[in-house]
């Protein structure tokens, strides 16, 4: 068994492309070897600032010879069939085939033998093909003629060894060899290598190149922490920046630089983002106060003769220029003010079919006011915060740093109330007591400012959930407005496509609802959205050919004694066969309610699917959630609590047995009701209830009389554990009933009463959930 070592050396590869390139090289090389019939022990790839490397251990010297038999047509078959068979087998005539007989007549068999190939030859073909088809997100074209190449950056060298010998591969006119290059400054090379161990050791000791990205990350983090600790400071770690820096430096060296202290009065997030985005620096803070320190950590790609003083000083000058820009933007935004910015939102498009950002702000404000009591917020404050929540989108700071949307709005609002003091704690306003915040007006300003920042949250699974009342109200309103609006115009997620992040918005609504225990009806909220906007308003914004026309092309509406099919194009016109104004209004209202109902039901189904995903890690089954949702409850907190209680009940012996009894009762009823063409939902006759023929019937009647009211009362009180306990009391009498009682008695009246009793079992379960939707 032999080792394959492949290195593709080029000019600097963008850091953001390296991780994917590492995976693509492993996939493409593995596929090429597998297609040739080769197997191996291990395949490992590495990506760095200037090179892609692969090492494959345990490859055979050659592929195995292959013998394949391919059955053909029978003797005497049409010429066309024989020609096609010979062509597919790569043969010239039937003389090259064997003739066999299976008892049904002779037929032809093509015996195809493929000799083994040297693995080196397979590699020599695979490497150029991999290079030509490498899926870089962006690539550049270089050279002309035979040396023309398309790669992420110009290629410089190809190293390709198999078993220590050079593989005769050629990529874009560059012949493979046994040499590599090291660091541009500390060890350019070239260096001759014989295998992977020698290659990695030579790069490290002679070339000053750390091959493995994970090791480069570890070195960067350890050195950055060390230079901060030596200065009595603390590194503000950033995993994304760390990964990017590991893709920029082959021989990383951490240096501590000085930042002008005058910039500490800028919003700390702006300072950190400017360092990270523009300069790739780590920010530093004072471990005692948590405030930003006038320092930064820069990662150099070399060991400087002066210990890095010149590098640090040069980077400090560049950072000052960047922060001067940030100061200019910040000063302009403070002079403009958040309220003035809000007036400019009418010029910012939210979506062509849903109006401007000002339109969205007005909808969110109305919805936030309505939701405020449910989360314990002041409606006035929630509406005020919603009206300002999007205003910073037109600020100069957010234009320069889009990641600061909401954050800058918070700063600007607090500044307008005299509550801005930079560098107090990890952010400017961590401890309000430290800046003398007193009085209800200041507290209201703080609540509004926090809501402006937090209404975008949560933006991912690891993001914090806003729980402050005003923040929760605005965040819920913003996400619900987005969901209902895009549902109304049929811009729903499809498969893996979700361009408007609607799945994330729905999950955000679920997480906020759970975190704040807010109980609101999603259906009522959706209807309230249409009460505010109106279906007509959505249609009129872009005419009758609006996207909503495609989503809901027609509606069957009852008018008088007949059903009429109408389209949205006819939505605001006269109803059929009348010019009466009242009839027209009624027609219009029925059409509107039917359309809203369709959108509402479709969106509620989407929420149910998101809730299943959210609760899956808790072990709550999807069918349990469906069973609870089926009763029409659309309060996410209540549905979740009931689903948890139902799941826990079904996991018990009583729950499993009662489910089996329910199914037996439901199946009998389904069969008998279909056969009789009648429903048995009515109450059993009073005489039967008073004196049933068998003791088991009497016991079941008594148990139902106690359990059903108790379960309904517990559900109404939202004590779902008690509701399940009430149902559990039915297990024994239900089992005894089915063991001893014949439902389909010869006496028609007795049979009907027993079927009605089964219907009461079904109704008892329906007090909690639709047990018919539970699987297993």
């Amino acid at each position: 068994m032999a080792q394959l070592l492949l290195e593709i050396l080029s000019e600097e590869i963008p850091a953001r492309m390296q991780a994917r390139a590492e995976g693509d090289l492993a996939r493409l090389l593995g596929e090429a070897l597998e297609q040739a019939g080769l197997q191996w022990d291990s395949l490992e790839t590495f990506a760095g600032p200037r090179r892609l490397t692969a090492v494959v251990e345990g490859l055979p010297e050659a592929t195995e010879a292959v013998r394949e038999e391919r059955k053909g047509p029978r003797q005497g078959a049409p010429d066309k069939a024989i020609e096609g068979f010979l062509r597919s087998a790569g043969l010239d005539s039937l003389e090259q085939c064997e003739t066999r007989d299976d008892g049904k007549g002779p037929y032809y068999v093509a015996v195809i033998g493929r000799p083994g190939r040297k693995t080196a030859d397979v590699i020599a073909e695979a490497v150029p093909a991999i290079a030509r088809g490498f899926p870089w997100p962006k690539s550049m074209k270089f050279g002309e003629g035979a040396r023309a190449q398309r790669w992420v950056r110009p290629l410089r060298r190809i190293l390709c060894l198999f078993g220590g010998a050079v593989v005769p591969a050629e990529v874009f006119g560059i012949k493979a060899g046994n040499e590599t290059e090291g660091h541009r400054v500390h060890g350019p090379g070239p260096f001759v290598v014989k295998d992977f161990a020698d290659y990695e050791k030579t790069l490290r000791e002679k070339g000053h190149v750390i091959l493995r990205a994970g090791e480069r990350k570890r070195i960067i983090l350890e050195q950055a922490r060390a230079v901060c600790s030596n200065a009595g400071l603390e590194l503000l770690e950033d995993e994304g920046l760390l990964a990017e820096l590991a893709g920029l430096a082959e021989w990383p060296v951490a240096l501590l630089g000085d930042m002008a202290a005058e910039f500490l009065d800028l919003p700390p997030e702006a300072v950190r983002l400017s360092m990270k985005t523009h300069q790739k620096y780590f920010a530093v803070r004072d471990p005692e106060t948590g405030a930003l320190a006038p320092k930064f950590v820069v990662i150099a790609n070399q060991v400087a003769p002066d210990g890095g003083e010149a590098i640090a000083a040069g980077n400090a000058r560049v950072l000052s220029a960047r922060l001067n820009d940030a100061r200019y933007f910040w000063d302009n935004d403070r002079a403009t003010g958040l309220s003035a910015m809000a007036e400019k939102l009418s010029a910012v498009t939210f979506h062509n079919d849903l109006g401007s950002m000002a339109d969205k702000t007005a909808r969110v404000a109305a919805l936030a006011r309505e939701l405020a009591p449910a989360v314990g917020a002041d409606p006035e404050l929630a509406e005020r915060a919603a009206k300002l929540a999007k205003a910073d989108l037109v600020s100069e700071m957010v234009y320069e740093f889009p990641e600061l949307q909401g954050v800058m709005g918070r700063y600007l609002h607090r500044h307008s109330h005299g509550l801005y003091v930079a560098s107090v704690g990890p952010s400017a306003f961590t401890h309000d007591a430290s800046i003398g915040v007193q009085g209800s007006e200041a507290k209201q300003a703080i609540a509004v400012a926090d809501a402006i920042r937090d209404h975008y949250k949560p933006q991912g699974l690891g993001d914090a959930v806003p729980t402050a009342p005003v923040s929760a109200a605005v965040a819920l309103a913003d996400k619900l407005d987005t969901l209902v609006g895009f549902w109304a115009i049929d811009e729903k997620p499809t498969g893996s496509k979700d361009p408007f992040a609607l799945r994330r918005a729905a999950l955000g609504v679920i997480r906020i609802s759970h975190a704040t225990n807010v109980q609101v009806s999603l259906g009522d909220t959706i209807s309230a959205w249409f009460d505010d906007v109106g279906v007509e308003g959505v249609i009129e914004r872009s005419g009758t050919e609006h996207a909503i026309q495609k989503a809901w092309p027609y509606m069957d509406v009852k008018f008088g004694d007949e059903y009429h099919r109408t389209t949205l194009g006819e939505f605001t016109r006269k109803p059929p066969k009348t010019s009466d104004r009242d009839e027209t209004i009624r027609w219009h209202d029925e059409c509107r309610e039917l359309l809203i109902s369709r959108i509402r039901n479709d969106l509620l189904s989407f929420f149910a699917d998101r809730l299943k995903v959210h609760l899956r890690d808790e072990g709550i089954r999807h069918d349990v959630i469906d069973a609870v949702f089926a009763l029409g409850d659309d309060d996410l907190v209540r549905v979740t609590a009931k689903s948890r209680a139902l799941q826990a009940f079904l996991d018990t012996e009583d729950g499993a047995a009662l489910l089996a009894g329910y199914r037996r009762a439901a199946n009998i009823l389904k069969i008998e009701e279909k056969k009789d063409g009648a429903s048995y939902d009515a109450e059993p006759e009073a005489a039967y209830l008073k004196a049933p023929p068998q003791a088991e019937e009497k016991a079941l009647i008594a148990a139902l009389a106690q359990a059903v009211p108790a379960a309904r009362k517990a559900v109404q009180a939202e004590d779902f554990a008690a509701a399940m306990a009430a149902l559990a009391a039915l297990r024994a009498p239900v089992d005894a009933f089915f063991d001893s009682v014949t439902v389909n008695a010869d006496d028609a009246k007795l049979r009907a009463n027993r079927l009605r009793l089964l219907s009461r079992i079904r109704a008892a379960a329906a007090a909690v959930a639709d047990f018919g939707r539970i699987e297993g």
Side-chain angles (χ1 to χ4, degrees):
M1 296 296 180
Q3 178 195 87
L4 165 64
L5 173 61
L6 171 66
E7 179 198 67
I8 304 175
L9 186 72
S10 69
E11 298 297 330
E12 276 66 15
I13 302 170
R16 68 183 183 279
M17 299 184 186
Q18 291 174 22
R20 174 177 168 181
E22 189 176 302
D24 287 336
L25 179 59
R27 175 179 56 83
L28 293 172
L29 183 57
E31 289 175 354
L33 296 175
E34 187 175 355
Q35 288 173 5
L38 290 167
Q39 294 183 342
W40 57 90
D41 294 335
S42 64
L43 190 161
E44 194 172 6
T45 54
F46 311 91
R50 299 176 59 216
R51 68 199 75 227
L52 290 180
T53 304
V55 57
V56 185
E57 300 284 0
L59 279 171
E61 295 288 342
T63 64
E64 295 182 358
V66 178
R67 185 177 186 275
E68 177 188 355
E69 292 188 0
R70 188 173 299 178
K71 185 177 180 181
R74 298 191 179 277
Q75 287 186 354
D79 292 343
K80 291 293 184 182
I82 293 175
E83 290 174 8
F85 167 65
L86 292 174
R87 186 166 53 252
S88 66
L91 303 178
D92 297 326
S93 68
L94 291 175
E95 295 177 357
Q96 297 173 276
C97 298
E98 295 181 4
T99 303
R100 299 180 186 175
D101 196 323
D102 58 359
K104 299 180 181 179
Y107 62 90
Y108 297 108
V109 175
V111 180
I112 306 169
R114 295 190 179 91
R117 296 181 64 200
K118 291 182 178 180
T119 301
D121 294 338
V122 173
I123 295 168
E125 289 181 4
V127 171
I130 290 172
R132 287 192 300 270
F134 205 85
W136 292 108
K138 289 184 179 180
S139 57
M140 304 173 72
K141 186 176 180 181
F142 309 92
E144 297 180 357
R147 295 184 65 85
Q149 56 177 279
R150 183 174 289 279
W151 196 249
V152 62
R153 295 293 185 270
L155 288 181
R156 288 292 176 254
R157 192 182 294 273
I158 303 294
L159 183 152
C160 191
L161 299 177
F162 178 67
V166 175
V167 176
E170 185 173 322
V171 178
F172 302 135
I174 302 173
K175 293 183 178 180
N178 62 350
E179 294 181 329
T180 185
E181 296 179 12
H183 193 282
R184 291 186 187 277
V185 176
H186 297 308
F191 307 106
V192 175
V193 299
K194 58 183 180 181
D195 57 25
F196 178 70
D198 184 38
Y199 167 79
E200 187 172 17
K201 180 180 179 182
T202 299
L203 282 179
R204 179 187 297 273
E205 296 181 356
K206 297 180 180 180
H208 288 76
V209 171
I210 305 298
L211 179 65
R212 301 172 187 269
E215 185 178 0
R216 295 196 299 272
K217 288 173 65 175
R218 178 183 58 79
I219 291 171
I220 291 170
L221 191 56
E222 289 177 354
Q223 291 186 4
R225 287 172 175 170
V227 297
C228 289
S229 178
N230 292 339
L233 301 171
E234 183 180 3
L235 180 73
L236 284 170
E237 298 180 13
D238 187 309
E239 184 62 32
L241 178 58
L242 179 62
E244 186 174 7
L245 288 169
L248 294 173
E250 293 185 306
W251 194 257
V253 177
L255 303 172
L256 188 65
D258 293 315
M259 180 185 78
E262 64 191 69
F263 295 115
L264 291 178
D265 65 346
L266 290 172
E269 290 88 347
V271 176
R272 288 188 63 182
L273 198 57
S274 184
M275 287 184 181
K276 173 183 176 179
T277 305
H278 294 142
Q279 302 306 123
K280 316 303 178 191
Y281 303 158
F282 286 107
V284 177
R285 69 184 172 195
D286 185 322
E288 294 183 2
T289 66
L292 283 182
K295 301 282 186 179
F296 63 89
V297 175
V298 59
I299 304 301
N301 191 28
Q302 60 177 299
V303 179
D306 64 352
E309 290 184 8
I311 294 175
N315 280 276
R317 287 193 296 272
V318 176
L319 178 60
S320 291
R322 289 290 188 182
L323 294 179
N324 272 322
D325 290 341
R327 179 183 296 285
Y328 174 78
F329 300 142
W330 173 236
D331 290 343
N332 286 349
D333 289 340
R334 285 188 295 175
T336 302
L338 207 57
S339 297
M341 292 178 189
E343 296 175 1
K344 300 177 182 179
L345 290 177
S346 58
V348 180
T349 300
F350 171 61
H351 188 281
N352 286 337
D353 295 331
L354 292 172
S356 68
M357 197 60 74
D359 294 326
K360 177 176 176 59
T361 297
R363 295 194 302 266
V364 172
L367 196 53
R369 186 182 184 90
E370 182 172 333
L371 292 172
V375 296
D378 183 330
E380 293 288 343
L381 287 183
E383 183 178 15
R384 188 191 313 168
K387 288 181 177 179
L388 296 173
K390 306 292 183 183
D392 67 350
L393 293 177
V394 299
S395 69
E396 294 184 34
M397 286 290 275
V398 171
Y399 183 84
E400 181 71 12
F401 303 109
E403 301 93 331
L404 294 182
Q405 61 180 8
V407 174
M408 294 313 304
R410 175 175 181 259
Y411 284 131
L412 290 169
H413 186 70
R414 293 192 64 148
H415 176 269
S416 67
H417 287 75
L419 301 174
Y420 175 77
V421 175
S423 298
V424 177
S427 67
F429 320 112
T430 300
H431 306 293
D432 290 321
S434 66
I435 55 176
V437 175
Q438 297 178 353
S440 61
E441 184 179 345
K443 291 179 181 178
Q444 290 177 0
I446 292 169
V448 170
D450 289 348
I452 293 171
R453 176 196 60 191
D454 295 340
H455 83 281
Y456 290 105
K457 297 179 179 181
Q459 293 186 306
L461 289 177
D463 198 10
V465 177
T467 55
V470 178
S471 298
V474 179
L476 282 171
D478 182 49
K479 290 166 179 58
L480 287 169
D481 171 77
T482 297
L483 286 161
V484 181
F486 280 108
W487 239 255
I489 62 172
D490 196 36
E491 288 284 1
K492 297 174 285 187
T494 56
S496 61
K497 295 181 179 180
D498 187 10
F500 302 109
L502 300 181
R503 292 188 181 97
R504 186 175 71 188
L507 190 57
V509 171
I510 292 169
R511 291 181 63 192
I512 295 170
S513 298
H514 287 170
T516 59
N517 201 36
V518 55
Q519 294 189 266
V520 296
S521 166
L522 288 177
D524 291 347
T525 303
I526 295 168
S527 298
W529 188 92
F530 282 105
D531 289 341
D532 180 52
V533 178
V535 175
E536 304 87 339
V538 179
I539 297 172
E540 290 169 1
R541 188 162 285 121
S542 56
T544 55
E545 295 303 317
H546 187 269
I548 200 170
Q549 172 94 14
K550 300 174 184 176
W552 318 100
Y554 62 82
M555 300 169 288
D556 290 321
V557 184
K558 189 174 183 181
F559 189 75
D561 295 329
E562 301 177 352
Y563 278 91
H564 297 271
R565 178 160 292 184
T566 182
T567 66
L568 289 173
E570 301 167 347
F571 187 71
T572 56
R573 294 200 287 270
K574 291 189 300 182
K577 302 178 182 178
T578 183
S579 59
D580 183 82
R581 181 176 180 276
D582 292 339
E583 291 294 295
T584 301
I585 292 173
R586 186 172 66 81
W587 163 264
H588 181 279
D589 289 344
E590 288 188 7
C591 288
R592 179 183 184 280
E593 289 307 314
L594 181 58
L595 178 59
I596 293 174
S597 175
R598 288 187 181 184
I599 296 172
R600 180 173 56 240
N601 293 340
D602 197 40
L603 183 51
L604 288 176
S605 177
F606 178 74
F607 267 107
D609 290 340
R610 291 298 91 200
L611 187 62
K612 293 173 192 176
V613 173
H614 183 64
L615 295 179
R616 184 168 51 199
D617 291 341
E618 292 186 26
I620 309 298
R621 297 190 339 229
H622 66 91
D623 54 321
V624 170
I625 297 172
D626 282 337
V628 175
F629 254 113
L631 297 187
D633 195 346
D634 56 9
D635 179 330
L636 292 173
V637 172
R638 192 163 53 238
V639 166
T640 300
K642 194 186 293 187
S643 297
R644 288 169 175 157
L646 180 57
Q647 178 73 71
F649 175 60
L650 294 174
D651 289 341
T652 65
E653 186 178 346
D654 285 344
L658 183 61
L659 177 61
Y662 167 86
R663 286 175 176 159
R664 188 171 179 182
N667 288 335
I668 293 172
L669 282 168
K670 182 179 179 181
I671 293 170
E672 299 306 317
E673 286 178 339
K674 181 178 180 181
K675 182 173 69 177
D676 298 345
S679 171
Y680 292 101
D681 288 340
E683 285 290 311
E685 293 177 350
Y688 170 77
L689 292 174
K690 186 175 181 180
Q694 294 183 221
E696 292 79 8
E697 293 173 276
K698 185 175 182 179
L700 179 57
I701 291 169
L704 285 169
Q706 289 184 347
V708 173
R712 288 175 178 166
K713 183 179 180 181
V715 168
Q716 189 173 6
E718 299 188 12
D719 186 353
F720 302 118
M724 301 306 161
L727 290 183
L730 293 175
R731 181 220 170 155
V734 167
D735 287 347
F737 177 86
F738 282 120
D739 288 342
S740 304
V741 176
T742 301
V743 175
N744 285 316
D746 293 333
D747 185 321
K749 182 182 290 188
L750 180 60
R751 171 179 174 272
N753 280 314
R754 286 175 173 172
L755 287 172
R756 290 170 187 151
L757 188 59
L758 293 189
S759 183
R760 293 186 72 180
I761 297 175
R762 184 170 62 183
V768 173
D770 183 353
F771 275 56
R773 292 179 179 264
I774 299 175
E775 302 172 0

